[in-house]
Amino acid sequence: MSDISDGELGRILRESRVWAVVGLGDNPERPAYAVARFLQSVGKRIVPVHPSAATVHGERGYASLADIPFKVDVADVFRRSSEAGAVADEALVREDVGTVWFQLGVVDEEAARRVRAAGRTMVMDRCPAIEWPRLHG
């Protein structure tokens, strides 16, 4: 579980604007689809990141984080734990990604260490659609 404080978590949720949702395709049955819709409902711009590069919730998709041509605040990772570390490393290549967020059930302690060692914020095994209402009522 993430060892981030509620204060820091609340700050990320309040201040972040652009969320790259890694693993977000156009399948409404997948958890990423509903979480991305939630993020939009609280004023965030979502950026679908999926090999299909599908447009989701009206936002153009990209095949990878590297392909996004504008600033990203949070890389929100909906990938298996075994694949999440590679996504974290891809996020670290971008200087603009201040937070790497691994969704519920996504745990990679070694990736989390790399993210923190790079001076970035790591959130692990949490969901913004759960944390937002908990912290912002």
Side-chain angles (χ1 to χ4, degrees):
M1 177 89 133
S2 178
D3 61 359
I4 193 165
S5 72
D6 281 354
E8 179 68 3
L9 204 54
R11 184 195 63 76
I12 293 163
L13 291 169
R14 270 190 324 278
E15 296 178 5
S16 62
R17 296 288 171 246
V18 180
W19 287 59
V21 184
V22 181
L24 173 59
D26 59 1
N27 182 349
E29 301 300 315
R30 303 294 298 171
Y33 194 88
V35 172
R37 174 64 83 200
F38 172 80
L39 288 167
Q40 282 184 321
S41 79
V42 296
K44 308 304 179 189
R45 178 179 182 187
I46 58 106
V47 183
V49 179
H50 189 278
S52 69
T55 296
V56 182
H57 302 313
E59 292 287 347
R60 177 184 172 203
Y62 295 88
S64 72
L65 285 171
D67 294 338
I68 302 171
F70 48 83
K71 184 181 184 309
V72 171
D73 300 311
V74 178
D76 187 6
V77 182
F78 282 87
R79 300 292 302 270
R80 289 181 185 90
S81 295
S82 61
E83 300 169 356
V87 177
D89 293 339
E90 190 179 350
L92 292 177
V93 171
R94 294 184 62 113
E95 293 182 13
D96 56 346
V97 177
T99 300
V100 176
W101 187 303
F102 286 1
Q103 278 293 326
L104 282 177
V106 181
V107 176
D108 182 333
E109 294 294 346
E110 194 54 44
R113 279 191 277 284
R114 291 193 304 273
V115 169
R116 291 182 188 110
R120 314 287 180 90
T121 302
M122 181 74 214
V123 179
M124 190 162 46
D125 196 23
R126 302 258 186 134
C127 179
I130 294 170
E131 299 301 328
W132 181 279
R134 184 177 73 81
L135 296 171
H136 295 98

